[in-house]
């Protein structure tokens, strides 16, 4: 099993945009959901956005209207487009492949190394 590989993090100013990318093994990606998590310094990891195999998306209230998750099945890649970034968005961001059981998302296929996003005020 190949772990997800995230990229695209960096240091930006408040109000700016950033796009994260994540490559997931093709044998896993096409038929499963994907999700982005983040872990701010000293805090617990939280689920930010999910997208199922059919393209249906869900977002945490804290990012709704600012972040957009999408997937490119031909490239085995999931994206997180982040607009109007705020200092509170500063965190390590992780992508996962997983499944839904009802409304709950489970990251069944391992974690990548993450990519750091830092938003300065």
């Amino acid at each position: 099993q190949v772990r997800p590989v995230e990229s695209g993090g960096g240091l930006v100013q408040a109000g700016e945009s950033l796009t994260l990318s994540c490559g997931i093994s093709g044998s896993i990606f096409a038929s499963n959901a994907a999700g982005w998590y983040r872990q701010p310094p000293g805090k617990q990891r939280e689920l930010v956005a999910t997208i199922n195999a059919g393209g249906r998306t869900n977002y945490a209230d804290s990012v709704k209207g600012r972040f957009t998750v999408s997937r490119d099945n031909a490239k085995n890649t999931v994206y997180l487009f982040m607009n109007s970034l705020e200092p509170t968005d500063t965190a390590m961001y992780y992508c996962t492949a997983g499944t839904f059981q009802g409304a709950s998302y489970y990251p069944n296929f391992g974690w990548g190394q993450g990519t750091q996003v830092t938003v300065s005020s």
Side-chain angles (χ1 to χ4, degrees):
Q1 177 177 319
V2 178
R3 296 180 181 274
V5 179
E6 304 93 340
S7 62
L11 172 63
V12 297
Q13 292 188 333
E16 294 184 340
S17 301
L18 206 57
T19 298
L20 306 183
S21 302
C22 176
I24 299 176
S25 170
S27 62
I28 295 172
F29 184 69
S31 58
N32 287 287
W36 284 95
Y37 288 79
R38 67 184 181 186
Q39 186 167 17
K43 298 185 178 180
Q44 289 188 330
R45 193 174 295 181
E46 62 173 341
L47 181 61
V48 172
T50 60
I51 183 166
N52 71 7
R56 182 172 182 175
T57 59
N58 277 291
Y59 301 92
D61 288 343
S62 59
V63 306
K64 200 170 292 183
R66 299 188 299 121
F67 289 13
T68 302
V69 59
S70 70
R71 61 190 294 158
D72 185 336
N73 289 340
K75 297 181 177 180
N76 299 327
T77 301
V78 61
Y79 302 97
L80 187 66
F81 302 97
M82 305 184 295
N83 296 316
S84 302
L85 283 162
E86 304 167 354
T88 52
D89 294 317
T90 295
M92 185 70 79
Y93 284 72
Y94 302 88
C95 83
T96 62
T99 57
F100 278 96
Q101 293 186 22
S104 297
Y105 174 77
Y106 295 90
N108 303 109
F109 301 101
W111 297 84
Q113 296 295 315
T115 186
Q116 177 68 38
V117 173
T118 303
V119 184
S120 63
S121 58

